[in-house]
Amino acid sequence: MSISVDMSDLKMPKHIAIIMDGNGRWAQNRFMPRTVGHRAGVKSVRNVVEYCANKNVEVLTLFAFSSENWRRPAAEVELLMGLFMSSLQREINRLDKRNVCLRFIGDITAFNDKLQQKMLEAELQTQGNSALTLVIAVNYGGRWDLCQATQKVIDKMSIGALEKQEITEQLINDHLSTAGLPEPDLFIRTGGEQRVSNFMLWQLAYTEMYFTSTLWPDFDQSVLEEAVRSFNGRQRRFGHTSEQVLNQAITL
Ligand code: FPP
């Protein structure tokens, strides 16, 4: 017999970051082209956004396209770009009404002008919204993020605006694409692989990891709740001992 825990008793992570994996296999299992899986994945995106907005999660980051995904067949890359574009066009007003703030991270200069323009417009339209920040990582890589932050820091040093001694963890944070966002509390990867795949390498330092074999198009609110339950069962110590945490001698 399983004991059901009321979700209202659970502490919600402030920031959930997800690698949405398994679209291709979901379609292939049904003898359909991989692209059908990507289309089916959009529905899961919608469900997860809805859940997070309802449960007062502050930030949801979705890894939609990695720097390495350009290596896929051209037709699949093209379909993915088309999906981003059409999803943006279709969803932006609904997201805006739901008070969702949209933010893109990654090197968007690699995308065509029209798509870049749409992304910027969507960010502008929703920048004042406060119910949920939805971060979409596109052409994103954790190593890229560290390189671009380093470049910005060096630019400032070269004009004398920054001294070497001022380079702290906080300063690096402030130059990453995720500047101003809390670090992810819960990382989820669907599709059965148990690796980080160059996603938010710096930001995941203390994040709780949750891996599920569920393929992304099958990922629904019940799987997400399972991940949140697992998160609630973890003791986050951030380098402290269990005793310190239990005695609440420190504030986490
Ligand atoms: C990984 O599955 C998934 C992707 C590379 C793309 C994710 C895109 C979407 C869910 C569509 C739209 C997204 C937004 C934000 C509107 P895979 O193809 O690697 O699956 P496999 O491991 O089974 O091959």
Side-chain angles (χ1 to χ4, degrees):
M1 192 184 76
S2 70
I3 302 165
S4 82
V5 179
D6 184 353
M7 279 306 286
S8 57
D9 294 340
L10 293 179
K11 185 174 155 204
M12 290 310 286
K14 255 193 199 175
H15 182 171
I16 302 178
I18 307 182
I19 296 190
M20 311 178 285
D21 200 7
N23 293 347
R25 276 166 287 160
W26 183 90
Q28 283 163 338
N29 291 344
R30 290 164 176 72
F31 306 102
M32 293 192 280
R34 297 172 50 80
T35 49
V36 175
H38 295 314
R39 288 185 203 285
V42 177
K43 182 182 73 5
S44 302
V45 170
R46 225 177 272 131
N47 282 339
V48 170
V49 171
E50 198 56 38
Y51 178 93
C52 290
N54 284 337
K55 300 283 183 185
N56 298 323
V57 171
E58 279 179 30
V59 184
L60 170 67
T61 299
L62 300 175
F63 201 8
F65 194 83
S66 76
S67 327
E68 291 74 31
N69 284 151
W70 296 107
R71 297 175 191 156
R72 293 182 173 217
E76 185 170 337
V77 172
E78 210 165 297
L79 179 282
L80 279 168
M81 296 304 139
L83 263 187
F84 296 148
M85 187 78 184
S86 58
S87 306
L88 253 185
Q89 253 152 355
R90 210 180 33 239
E91 308 285 337
I92 188 62
N93 288 331
R94 204 174 56 91
L95 289 172
D96 196 16
K97 279 205 193 87
R98 284 295 269 120
N99 200 16
V100 173
C101 168
L102 201 57
R103 178 160 159 183
F104 293 94
I105 57 168
D107 182 7
I108 72 161
T109 60
F111 298 116
N112 69 46
D113 290 347
K114 215 168 147 196
L115 186 49
Q116 283 187 51
Q117 188 59 32
K118 271 273 157 241
M119 288 175 178
L120 294 176
E121 279 169 20
E123 285 185 332
L124 269 179
Q125 182 179 337
T126 60
Q127 66 184 356
N129 293 346
S130 55
L132 168 74
T133 299
L134 172 60
V135 182
I136 309 283
V138 278
N139 195 25
Y140 177 86
R143 292 178 180 175
W144 164 84
D145 206 357
L146 284 164
C147 287
Q148 68 78 30
T150 308
Q151 286 166 1
K152 284 189 204 153
V153 169
I154 290 177
D155 280 349
K156 288 188 182 167
M157 287 178 79
S158 65
I159 57 163
L162 200 62
E163 293 294 322
K164 184 174 144 191
Q165 294 73 12
E166 292 177 89
I167 301 180
T168 58
E169 289 188 12
Q170 186 55 49
L171 183 110
I172 303 285
N173 271 333
D174 294 342
H175 289 83
L176 289 169
S177 61
T178 47
L181 299 174
E183 287 175 16
D185 303 292
L186 173 62
F187 162 94
I188 301 171
R189 181 172 185 149
T190 63
E193 310 291 353
Q194 301 200 352
R195 51 177 175 259
V196 171
S197 298
N198 197 18
F199 185 45
M200 297 182 117
L201 296 178
W202 171 283
Q203 296 88 336
L204 292 175
Y206 284 103
T207 304
E208 296 297 331
M209 316 296 268
Y210 185 86
F211 297 96
T212 168
S213 55
T214 302
L215 303 175
W216 179 251
D218 291 328
F219 189 87
D220 57 16
Q221 300 196 350
S222 68
V223 190
L224 181 50
E225 288 198 345
E226 213 32 64
V228 172
R229 280 200 175 87
S230 167
F231 171 77
N232 272 255
R234 316 270 180 102
Q235 186 190 56
R236 305 189 78 195
R237 294 200 291 273
F238 299 95
H240 295 278
T241 66
S242 299
E243 290 73 23
Q244 285 175 304
V245 176
L246 290 172
N247 293 336
Q248 295 183 320
I250 43 117
T251 322
L252 296 179

